[in-house]
Amino acid sequence: MTDQTSAHSATARQPWPVSLAERIFGAIAIATVTGICFIMCWDVLFRYILVRPLGWSGEAIQFLMSILFFAALPLATLRGDHVIVDVLSERFTGVLRQLSLLLAGVFLTGYLLAMAWYCAGFALKLMSYGDRTDYLGLPLHSAAWAAAIAFVAAAIGGILHGWKEARQ
């Protein structure tokens, strides 16, 4: 069985909310990468062949990159794909290992929820300013709201992943 097949079958055995969240955030990530590629190719065509650069392309790519990052964050947390430096818990066994995984999950969840709280406050502040991007006129608070939602989703994903790890 290949890694891709085993990963796909592992996704199929997940509870439906986890599978749905992976599909939603995965679709957002795929759409933003596709948008970035399309805009970059279009910009190169206009800039070097037609000698008419797109003034808004850099702004659009920056906006899409932020969405890509915040769509990938819950995916990485749900799947447990974060970089982990496992110095102590690999030496633990039994209940002590489960307790260390639980504490790490609680710490991660607390941190992600604190970041969500900060981003929501920042989004409210940006909303009160009414600032928009220069070329496209996108409201700046929308990126901060996306970050807050992603941090909450990542916190929930961290809880679910930690629960799964502690049960194994």
Side-chain angles (χ1 to χ4, degrees):
M1 184 181 281
T2 66
D3 288 337
Q4 185 179 13
T5 307
S6 63
H8 181 66
S9 63
T11 304
R13 285 182 264 138
Q14 293 177 344
W16 71 268
V18 174
S19 178
L20 179 65
E22 282 188 347
R23 288 182 184 191
I24 289 170
F25 287 107
I28 292 169
I30 289 169
T32 55
V33 167
T34 303
I36 289 168
C37 290
F38 179 76
I39 291 169
M40 289 183 85
C41 289
W42 197 253
D43 189 39
V44 167
L45 173 75
F46 269 68
R47 181 177 307 270
Y48 297 110
I49 297 175
L50 302 176
V51 193
R52 294 192 58 127
L54 303 173
W56 53 267
S57 64
E59 184 177 289
I61 289 171
Q62 286 177 340
F63 203 79
L64 289 173
M65 290 290 280
S66 68
I67 292 172
L68 175 62
F69 174 80
F70 289 115
L73 178 66
L75 279 175
T77 308
L78 274 169
R79 296 176 180 169
D81 288 342
H82 289 292
V83 175
I84 298 172
V85 180
D86 199 1
V87 177
L88 292 176
S89 66
E90 71 179 5
R91 299 174 196 267
F92 298 151
T93 58
V95 174
L96 196 54
R97 178 169 173 75
Q98 288 178 334
L99 184 61
S100 70
L101 289 172
L102 179 65
L103 281 172
V106 166
F107 178 76
L108 174 66
T109 301
Y111 175 76
L112 291 169
L113 289 175
M115 291 299 295
W117 180 265
Y118 174 79
C119 287
F122 188 62
L124 287 172
K125 190 183 295 186
L126 288 174
M127 281 179 73
S128 71
Y129 297 154
D131 288 345
R132 295 183 169 274
T133 59
D134 293 332
Y135 286 100
L136 298 175
L138 300 171
L140 291 179
H141 63 83
S142 59
W145 282 120
I149 291 167
F151 279 123
V152 169
I156 294 168
I159 291 169
L160 293 173
H161 181 72
W163 180 258
K164 182 180 78 174
E165 286 292 316
R167 286 182 35 199
Q168 288 180 350

